[in-house]
Amino acid sequence: MTTLRTRRVATTRLTQQITEAKGEGKDGGEPVVFIHGNVSSSAFWRTTLTTLPDRYRPIAVDLRGFGGTDPLPVDATRGLRDYADDLAALLTALKVDRVHLVGWSLGGGVAMQYLRDHPAAVRSLTLVNPVSPYGFGGTRGVDGTLNSADGAGSGGGTANPEFVRLLAQGDRGEDSPNSPRSVLAACYVKPPMRPEHEDAYVASMLTTCLGDDHYPGDSTTSAAWPGIAPGTRGVLNCLAPTHFRIDDLHLIHPRPPVLWVRGEDDVIVSDTSVFDLAHLGAVGAVQGWDGTPAQPMVAQTRHVLDRYAAAGGRVREVAVADAGHAVHLERPEEFREALLEVLPA
């Protein structure tokens, strides 16, 4: 029988909270580490953890500032390396030398960064609706060309202030379309689906540490549209294309197999993302739009992975119909089937 255990693990960098699946054979199984997305925690992986065969050791980690992990500040000038270095310290503390990584959304970017920095330590990489290798916002074209040298249109200033306010209030309702529960129902999954354990997911979202050092981060003004550019601190700034860019993944060695799973109806990581100010400007939701094109997030990921495959890496893309941003919640059986194909038998 598989059970879940949550505990805190002291590392050389910080104390991190993890949730593990426990059962016969799992402690000695191959480690599979699951990394959650933005404004969430390892709670979003709890159901997935119980579905893997006993030959695997499933572990889900809370990133810094989320769930039960220490809320150390995020140095956005390092891109996602604060999180990737935290992961390296955790694996060292757990005495794990090589690992299968599964990263969702923000966690997909963390997993890509870890692979970039530690290729020999990764047995396989699974990306679930991952952030583009060129960050979130502020770029155009499949090669992630900056719209403005300062990254205008990305970073902490792009967050919806009402969503941040309701997170700070601990709002668990859905009276506002910007409440955590409403955003979960409208954006994390494809409506009209309402996920099982929704209350637990809302509670997970509310663990997000807020402020300039956390979510959403600080910001600066810009002469370029839409008038805001990334700062140097916090979550959204570490995703800014001026700080985070994985443009040379095809050069690493060795090149473990990569699985890319995405919901075809994702509205968060999309070529027409409802969180990309350029797309919102194009549809009239943000005033003063100057024609800046939307970021082709999916096309950018495909561009980077195509180069990885051309260099000899094995890549499989699985597009799940009628699913949104959280495929592992919306189509758990399809997700499990795809994941088990990239994990060794």
Side-chain angles (χ1 to χ4, degrees):
M1 178 180 176
T2 299
T3 59
L4 295 179
R5 178 181 70 166
T6 297
R7 63 187 175 104
R8 282 167 54 81
V9 179
T11 77
T12 56
R13 291 175 58 82
L14 76 171
T15 298
Q16 302 178 62
Q17 181 164 287
I18 64 172
T19 298
E20 305 166 284
K22 308 296 290 184
E24 184 176 352
K26 287 192 179 296
D27 285 348
E30 288 199 41
V32 184
V33 173
F34 295 82
I35 312 169
H36 64 82
N38 199 5
V39 191
S40 66
S41 74
S42 61
F44 278 76
W45 290 116
R46 289 181 68 88
T47 299
T48 306
L49 294 178
T50 65
T51 66
L52 293 190
D54 285 342
R55 62 181 177 272
Y56 299 109
R57 178 189 176 189
I59 304 167
V61 59
D62 289 340
L63 299 174
R64 65 167 62 192
F66 299 97
T69 288
D70 289 351
L72 268 63
V74 177
D75 179 357
T77 66
R78 305 187 70 234
L80 293 175
R81 278 198 167 94
D82 270 357
Y83 300 121
D85 289 351
D86 291 347
L87 176 61
L90 174 67
L91 295 178
T92 296
L94 295 175
K95 295 181 172 56
V96 171
D97 295 325
R98 299 187 67 210
V99 66
H100 300 281
L101 288 182
V102 184
W104 168 47
S105 194
L106 164 68
V110 175
M112 281 188 276
Q113 186 66 67
Y114 184 87
L115 172 62
R116 176 65 188 82
D117 295 342
H118 308 278
V122 180
R123 292 182 181 270
S124 70
L125 174 67
T126 297
L127 303 172
V128 187
N129 296 82
V131 64
S132 164
Y134 301 116
F136 198 99
T139 65
R140 65 182 183 274
V142 297
D143 59 351
T145 300
L146 286 172
N147 293 328
S148 174
D150 62 0
S154 67
T158 66
N160 185 314
E162 181 67 4
F163 176 61
V164 176
R165 185 184 71 83
L166 292 172
L167 275 176
Q169 286 188 354
D171 189 301
R172 296 173 183 265
E174 50 189 319
D175 293 337
S176 166
N178 296 308
S179 73
R181 188 180 299 272
S182 296
V183 171
L184 170 69
C187 301
Y188 283 35
V189 297
K190 181 185 177 181
M193 180 199 177
R194 300 299 290 255
E196 188 180 6
H197 312 303
E198 181 176 286
D199 287 347
Y201 299 143
V202 172
S204 165
M205 296 170 73
L206 294 175
T207 67
T208 302
C209 289
L210 304 176
D212 286 350
D213 284 322
H214 302 290
Y215 181 85
D218 63 346
S219 65
T220 59
T221 58
S222 174
W225 187 88
I228 51 176
T232 61
R233 302 151 59 195
V235 179
L236 294 188
N237 293 311
C238 70
L239 293 172
T242 48
H243 301 313
F244 173 66
R245 184 179 181 91
I246 301 287
D247 201 29
D248 56 354
L249 202 59
H250 59 291
L251 299 180
I252 68 168
H253 185 79
R255 301 181 188 93
V258 175
L259 169 66
W260 175 24
V261 183
R262 62 180 183 85
E264 290 188 340
D265 299 312
D266 187 0
V267 298
I268 297 179
V269 175
S270 165
D271 290 353
T272 53
S273 170
V274 299
F275 291 83
D276 179 8
L277 294 186
H279 172 66
L280 293 176
V283 299
V286 176
Q287 293 185 348
W289 181 60
D290 66 350
T292 297
Q295 180 187 3
M297 302 178 186
V298 174
Q300 288 175 349
T301 297
R302 185 173 293 114
H303 171 69
V304 168
L305 293 182
D306 281 350
R307 289 201 296 176
Y308 187 85
R314 178 161 60 91
V315 176
R316 181 183 180 216
E317 177 182 348
V318 177
V320 182
D322 202 34
H325 189 59
V327 174
H328 56 296
L329 302 184
E330 300 169 89
R331 297 287 185 273
E333 291 300 324
E334 291 177 56
F335 175 71
R336 178 180 181 275
E337 180 180 346
L339 178 60
L340 288 178
E341 286 188 13
V342 79
L343 299 178

